[in-house]
């Protein structure tokens, strides 16, 4: 009985040594810098929701335009939505992510007339989603509005 158990463990140990992982060469090669590859006008819908409110969101058509810069990982961003009272510009970091891109700006500076940080993703099919929040003070109260843009590259 000891020989059978010993041989069983020996076979199990030997069989585990032949197990191999799959090939991890799934790295996608980009033909452009992140700034050049993400550049374009994205047309879609902005949604503006008062944080913590049951009110219906304000929805409007608009655009986000990305313009390549000399730096490979920086792009100029223009936000435009008349219905949501948005007309602003900013610079953003842009990086490759799988077959798409990630854009964000965590700094509020003179170059960021939006006045808040924002983040988004551009998917490999050309779809874009960007989110940001703004605060407005009315009297003694502060109101936070959450914005979402969803669109596709024109």
């Amino acid at each position: 009985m000891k020989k059978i158990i010993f041989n069983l463990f020996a076979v199990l140990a030997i069989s585990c040594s032949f197990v191999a992982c799959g090939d991890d060469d799934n790295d996608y090669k980009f033909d452009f810098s992140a700034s050049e590859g993400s550049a374009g006008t994205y047309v879609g819908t902005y949604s503006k929701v008062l944080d913590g409110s049951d009110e219906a969101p304000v929805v409007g058509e608009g655009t986000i335009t990305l313009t390549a810069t000399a730096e490979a990982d920086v792009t100029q961003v223009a936000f435009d939505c008349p219905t949501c009272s948005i007309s602003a510009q900013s610079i953003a970091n842009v990086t490759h992510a799988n077959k798409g891109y990630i854009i964000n700006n965590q700094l509020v500076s003179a170059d960021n007339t939006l006045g808040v940080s924002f983040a988004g993703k551009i998917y490999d099919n050309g779809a874009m989603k960007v989110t940001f929040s703004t605060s407005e003070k009315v009297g003694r109260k502060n109101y936070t509005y959450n914005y979402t843009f969803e669109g596709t590259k024109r």
Side-chain angles (χ1 to χ4, degrees), residues 106-140:
Q106 301 303 318
L107 300 175
V108 178
S109 66
D111 294 329
N112 183 347
T113 60
L114 185 62
V116 297
S117 62
F118 58 90
K121 178 155 175 79
I122 302 169
Y123 299 90
D124 60 346
N125 64 357
M128 172 192 264
K129 183 172 184 178
V130 175
T131 59
F132 57 92
S133 296
T134 63
S135 292
E136 295 178 20
K137 187 170 185 170
V138 178
R140 292 183 173 176

Side-chain angles (χ1 to χ4, degrees), residues 62-114:
T63 61
I64 292 181
T65 304
L66 303 180
T67 306
T69 65
E71 295 183 56
D73 60 348
V74 175
T75 189
Q76 181 70 35
V77 183
F79 300 88
D80 186 47
C81 179
T83 306
C84 296
S85 302
I86 297 173
S87 181
Q89 294 189 16
S90 180
I91 58 170
N93 296 321
V94 58
T95 57
H96 295 288
N98 295 328
K99 295 180 183 178
Y101 304 93
I102 300 288
I103 64 168
N104 67 56
N105 183 342
Q106 301 303 318
L107 300 175
V108 178
S109 66
D111 294 329
N112 183 347
T113 60
L114 185 62

